């Protein structure tokens, strides 16, 4: 059953690949956001990670402000802010400021994951003990609705971002339903299909299936190394091609646009979503740009479907 137009969006961790620097990663993120804006993508989200050598997106509020400044039409946001790491008032103030500066374009996705190794998370929280997640979400919502005893001043006057709940479990989906919040499901982390308004999926597109599979060797090698207890930055596909162990375990859809079309439709049919948020884990920035260029026309060929 067709229910409406499918939107395509971008999830970008600002990956620091082998041989690159955090500055280059952030510059590539800004460049990709400008490209996505010109191609008609709907949203551009960046996550919160700490202490990870391969991820430059550690301060989403700062990065969101920059991306909103260099783009014109995209909704820009956090995918997401990890609420147990922060005081809800500070999050409301940060994203209320962004919403005041960029009206109608700021999203605030929130999650409960730690976002990094224990030592990094402990440093972020600095001895602060987070309360129950639901209570934190409700406190944040009160600030965004201007109802708290201590107001989040930038929010006053209607400057609130759009609030989303992020997750990859039935508990998160149930909480979103109870609170009446839109739910973004991390299919790229947990491939089980769940009802969601937005589904993030790992996709690599190229002109041929063979090229896409070759590019996917980078993320497969990285995942396989992590499963063996050795964390590495994303290697080049050339290096991955010489890897002498099986490279399996990466949850990534790859192929030409014609190959990917039915696979992406299966994700939509299984979740009832009307929006796919795509993350593309490839080594060379030009290959990442080209993947999003090839995927953009699929927005008019995909259809959203009622879950179940």
């Amino acid at each position: 059953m067709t229910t409406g137009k499918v939107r395509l969006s971008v999830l970008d961790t600002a990956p620091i690949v082998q041989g690159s620097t955090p500055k280059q990663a952030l510059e590539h993120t800004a460049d990709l956001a400008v490209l996505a804006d010109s191609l008609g993508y709907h949203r551009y989200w960046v996550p919160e990670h700490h202490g990870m050598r391969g991820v430059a997106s550690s301060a989403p509020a700062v990065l969101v402000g920059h991306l909103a400044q260099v783009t014109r039409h995209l909704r820009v946001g956090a995918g997401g802010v990890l609420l147990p790491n922060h005081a809800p008032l500070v999050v409301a103030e940060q994203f209320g400021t962004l919403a005041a500066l960029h009206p109608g374009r700021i999203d605030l996705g929130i999650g409960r994951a730690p976002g990094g190794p224990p030592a990094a998370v402990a440093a972020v929280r600095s001895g602060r003990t987070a309360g129950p997640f639901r209570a934190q979400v409700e406190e944040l919502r009160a600030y965004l609705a201007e109802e708290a005893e201590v107001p989040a001043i930038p929010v006053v006057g209607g400057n609130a971002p759009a609030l989303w709940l992020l997750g990859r479990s039935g508990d998160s989906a149930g909480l979103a339903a109870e609170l009446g919040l839109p739910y973004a499901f991390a299919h790229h982390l947990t491939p089980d299909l769940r009802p969601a308004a937005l589904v993030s999926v790992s996709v690599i597109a190229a002109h041929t299936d063979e090229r896409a599979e070759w590019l996917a060797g980078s993320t497969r090698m990285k995942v396989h190394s992590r499963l063996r207890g050795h964390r590495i930055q994303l290697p080049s596909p050339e290096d991955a091609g010489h890897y002498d162990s099986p490279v399996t375990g990466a949850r990534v859809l790859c192929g030409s646009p014609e190959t990917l079309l039915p696979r992406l439709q299966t994700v939509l049919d299984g979740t009832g979503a009307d929006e796919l948020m795509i993350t593309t884990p490839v080594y060379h920035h030009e290959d990442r740009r080209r993947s999003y260029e090839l995927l953009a026309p699929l927005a008019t060929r995909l259809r959203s479907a009622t879950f179940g």
Side-chain angles (χ1 to χ4, degrees), residues 49-281:
H49 289 291
H50 301 286
M52 294 186 176
R53 292 187 305 146
V55 178
S57 180
S58 58
V62 178
L63 189 51
V64 166
H66 178 64
L67 297 180
Q69 190 67 35
V70 299
T71 58
R72 297 180 59 195
H73 307 292
L74 282 170
R75 294 195 64 91
V76 186
V81 168
L82 304 177
L83 199 52
N85 292 345
H86 309 284
L89 175 60
V90 174
V91 176
E93 289 173 338
Q94 289 173 342
F95 281 81
T97 300
L98 290 168
L101 293 172
H102 306 281
R105 295 183 57 205
I106 302 299
D107 294 332
L108 172 55
I110 53 174
R112 70 177 86 195
V121 174
V124 170
R125 296 184 181 179
S126 190
R128 176 179 168 272
T129 301
F133 183 66
R134 179 177 183 137
Q136 289 183 297
V137 175
E138 291 177 337
E139 182 181 351
L140 175 63
R141 292 183 80 185
Y143 291 130
L144 295 178
E146 307 178 33
E147 298 170 355
E149 181 179 349
V150 179
I153 295 301
V155 175
V156 173
N159 302 317
L163 188 62
W164 287 73
L165 190 64
L166 279 58
R168 51 174 174 167
S169 70
D171 289 344
S172 297
L175 180 59
E178 288 178 27
L179 297 178
L181 292 175
Y183 181 58
F185 172 58
H187 180 274
H188 69 289
L189 298 177
T190 306
D192 298 333
L193 298 180
R194 299 182 183 275
L198 180 158
V199 177
S200 62
V201 59
S202 184
V203 183
I204 297 173
H207 284 295
T208 66
D209 291 351
E210 294 76 16
R211 171 76 177 176
E213 289 286 349
W214 181 73
L215 292 173
S218 298
T219 191
R220 288 174 177 152
M221 178 177 171
K222 181 179 180 181
V223 169
H224 189 259
S225 295
R226 185 178 72 238
L227 294 175
R228 296 175 65 190
H230 180 48
R231 292 186 176 271
I232 62 173
Q233 292 172 302
L234 191 71
S236 70
E238 292 84 2
D239 287 344
H242 295 102
Y243 197 54
D244 60 1
S245 296
V247 281
T248 58
R251 301 185 181 105
V252 58
L253 304 179
C254 52
S256 67
E258 291 304 316
T259 296
L260 289 169
L261 182 64
R263 296 178 181 177
L264 294 174
Q265 188 60 57
T266 296
V267 175
L268 291 168
D269 292 342
T271 60
D274 59 7
E275 185 170 348
L276 291 173
M277 178 163 278
I278 295 164
T279 183
T280 299

